Amino acid sequence: MWGSSGGYLGIAAITGDENGVAIISVSDEGIASTEIPLFLQIAVQQLQEYFDSKRTDFTFLLNPKRTEFQQKVWKSLVNIPFGKTITYLEQSKGLGDVKAIRAVASANGKNPLWIVVPCHRVIGSDGSLTGYAGGIWRKKWLLEHENPTTQQSLF
């Protein structure tokens, strides 16, 4: 999978059915399929638009299978604006329990919907890029893709 700003992130695997996308993951191994089921085509299209810098949110149906707590945590991730970040502590506070920071971080780590449920937008309290199942280098790439630094002109 290529982004418009260059760089290979890996092969995305999308799993789902007529009820929605259940899993989007990325790995360094695999073979890209040219046969995409009709009910997954919108997800593939929207992800490509994201990588082409033409999309900042997703509208296709999601259907992840997890616990009620995980669902609550993931729902809060969708509210983080494109190009912005929050800390795990801020996310825990937003969910109403600052003491649940480890459980929130754990739920983020089990997020099955890469990019679409943007756990990559959650960072450490010190601004560090921590805790990303897809690899810190991918988290860094995604954050830079969403908030590219532009060279300022001196003239």
Side-chain angles (χ1 to χ4, degrees):
M1 185 168 283
W2 290 91
S4 61
S5 58
Y8 180 75
L9 290 179
I11 301 291
I14 304 173
T15 305
D17 58 25
E18 296 82 8
N19 297 317
V21 174
I23 301 170
I24 301 173
S25 61
V26 65
S27 73
D28 295 327
E29 300 174 6
I31 299 170
S33 174
T34 57
E35 292 186 36
I36 302 166
L38 187 59
F39 52 83
L40 295 180
Q41 288 178 6
I42 187 73
V44 171
Q45 176 188 342
Q46 288 187 12
L47 282 166
Q48 187 59 56
E49 291 169 357
Y50 169 87
F51 284 110
D52 290 341
S53 298
K54 296 177 182 172
R55 175 170 292 278
T56 60
D57 62 344
F58 301 92
T59 59
F60 55 87
L61 218 58
L62 302 177
N63 191 23
K65 306 278 193 266
R66 297 295 192 251
T67 68
E68 186 177 323
F69 178 75
Q70 288 169 332
Q71 298 267 6
K72 180 180 172 184
V73 170
W74 299 336
K75 191 173 273 191
S76 75
L77 292 170
V78 176
N79 295 322
I80 305 170
F82 182 88
K84 303 294 183 192
T85 59
I86 65 169
T87 66
Y88 290 100
L89 181 60
E90 289 170 326
Q91 186 183 16
S92 296
K93 285 180 183 176
L95 290 166
D97 189 357
V98 70
K99 294 178 184 173
I101 191 167
R102 289 184 189 264
V104 168
S106 176
N108 283 350
K110 293 180 175 106
N111 170 17
L113 294 163
W114 182 61
I115 297 176
V116 176
V117 176
C119 59
H120 62 276
R121 296 180 188 155
V122 184
I123 60 173
S125 293
D126 62 358
S128 62
L129 303 183
T130 61
Y132 192 64
I136 296 297
W137 70 273
R138 283 190 180 103
K139 183 172 188 164
K140 182 177 187 286
W141 190 97
L142 292 168
L143 291 174
E144 288 173 354
H145 174 71
E146 292 183 3
N147 194 9
T149 56
T150 55
Q151 182 70 30
Q152 293 184 348
S153 173
L154 298 176
F155 305 100

